[in-house]
Amino acid sequence: MDKRPIGIFDSGMGGVSLLRDARLLLPKENFIFYGDNKNAPYGDRTEEEILSLTSAAADYLVEHGVKALVLACNTATSASINILRRKLAVPVVSIEPAIKPACERAGEGKVFMLATAATTRLARYRALLERMPDPSRVINIGLSGMVARVERGETEIGAYDDILNEYLEPYFGETADAIVLGCTHYVFAGEAIREYFLRHFKGECRLFDGNRATARQLGRVLERNGLLNPGGCGKVVFTTSGEPEKLAPIFDRFLNTPLD
Ligand code: DGL
């Protein structure tokens, strides 16, 4: 039994969506969440900047005594996962865009993969895409501007229409079987994104994200390393590089948003 907390990291509030799934699956575990809200969004930054910020955040969580680290940020994973795994003494679990289940379970139409500009550009995602049976089915959209709105807690229907129009207008009328939320922030915008797709596209427009699979992987890694805490009390601590008094209410709201 290992009482140390699990560290969950994201550039900001998106990672709270993974924390929700992790808590549901591992209710006895203690968690410390760190959002680098001061430096978000990461998605418009260079690979070097993302690596350096993520590395500093990982050091912060390790100094706080975590027994495992979860990168709840697709962008941070793309730029840093291999280096962090080599550098850190604790196991590192990370999310990546859920294109595999989307490609497997969707029909014959297109799979729209929405992520940050950095995720869609970087080599790690490009390699993942190439492993799909038909990569040409996947339409990769690297969005800019969504994350800042999620950070402000804007999740209502219509809140992202102007940004989505900018990127998706050329595809209107296509059959969208699946939409991959390849940025953890977009999970909180999921309802607004799906409603938008249903207005402008044909097909089922089914949403996919990597949160549940990553939470399950975390459980397996803890078990394999003898790190589970079956007698724990399930404490969650929120820490941020931003303004805690402004962000804590959004963190609480997101954490308590019911899962589908
Ligand atoms: N939530 C992060 C992700 O999953 C990135 C957001 C950002 O641009 O900072 O990619």
Side-chain angles (χ1 to χ4, degrees), residues 10-11 14-15 40-44 72-76 95 116 119 147 182-185:
D10 183 33
S11 63
Y42 280 14
D44 299 325
C73 177
N74 298 267
T75 310
I95 191 159
T116 65
T119 298
V147 167
C183 166
T184 50
H185 280 76

Side-chain angles (χ1 to χ4, degrees), residues 64 127 168 200:
H64 280 71
L168 293 169
H200 296 293

Side-chain angles (χ1 to χ4, degrees), residues 140-154:
N140 300 290
I141 311 282
L143 296 161
S144 197
M146 301 277 290
V147 167
R149 287 190 199 173
V150 176
E151 287 285 284
R152 293 197 294 267
E154 294 173 22

Side-chain angles (χ1 to χ4, degrees), residues 6-196:
I6 297 159
I8 307 246
F9 167 68
D10 183 33
S11 63
M13 290 299 166
V16 184
S17 64
L18 204 164
L19 175 58
R20 278 187 312 179
D21 277 296
R23 266 181 102 199
L24 197 72
L25 195 76
L26 302 160
K28 302 287 184 191
E29 294 294 334
N30 301 317
F31 292 93
I32 172 166
F33 182 91
Y34 178 60
D36 189 10
N37 304 74
K38 195 175 103 188
N39 295 304
Y42 280 14
D44 299 325
R45 293 179 179 274
T46 64
E47 186 169 11
E48 292 72 28
E49 284 175 321
I50 300 164
L51 171 61
S52 146
L53 290 168
T54 305
S55 191
D59 290 343
Y60 169 89
L61 284 167
V62 169
E63 277 158 26
H64 280 71
V66 300
K67 61 184 175 184
L69 174 66
V70 181
L71 293 188
C73 177
N74 298 267
T75 310
T77 300
S78 304
S80 70
I81 186 64
N82 296 335
I83 292 168
L84 287 189
R85 286 210 170 114
R86 280 200 296 274
K87 172 181 133 166
L88 299 179
V90 297
V92 186
V93 173
S94 71
I95 191 159
E96 64 184 4
I99 51 169
K100 192 167 179 277
C103 287
E104 278 167 6
R105 283 183 230 141
E108 297 300 309
K110 299 284 184 207
V111 171
F112 281 80
M113 203 294 277
L114 311 184
T116 65
T119 298
T120 51
R121 182 184 75 237
L122 292 178
R124 188 176 172 87
Y125 173 69
R126 290 282 142 192
L128 176 69
L129 183 61
E130 284 315 308
R131 292 200 293 276
M132 296 305 112
D134 180 8
S136 69
R137 263 183 84 197
V138 184
I139 298 180
N140 300 290
I141 311 282
L143 296 161
S144 197
M146 301 277 290
V147 167
R149 287 190 199 173
V150 176
E151 287 285 284
R152 293 197 294 267
E154 294 173 22
T155 53
E156 59 289 351
I157 303 290
Y160 302 92
D161 282 10
D162 56 332
I163 300 174
L164 295 171
N165 281 340
E166 216 181 291
Y167 293 87
L168 293 169
E169 244 171 34
Y171 305 100
F172 280 3
E174 294 258 20
T175 300
D177 281 326
I179 304 158
V180 178
L181 303 174
C183 166
T184 50
H185 280 76
Y186 301 170
V187 175
F188 293 114
E191 228 177 287
I193 291 172
R194 182 152 195 270
E195 189 275 340
Y196 177 90

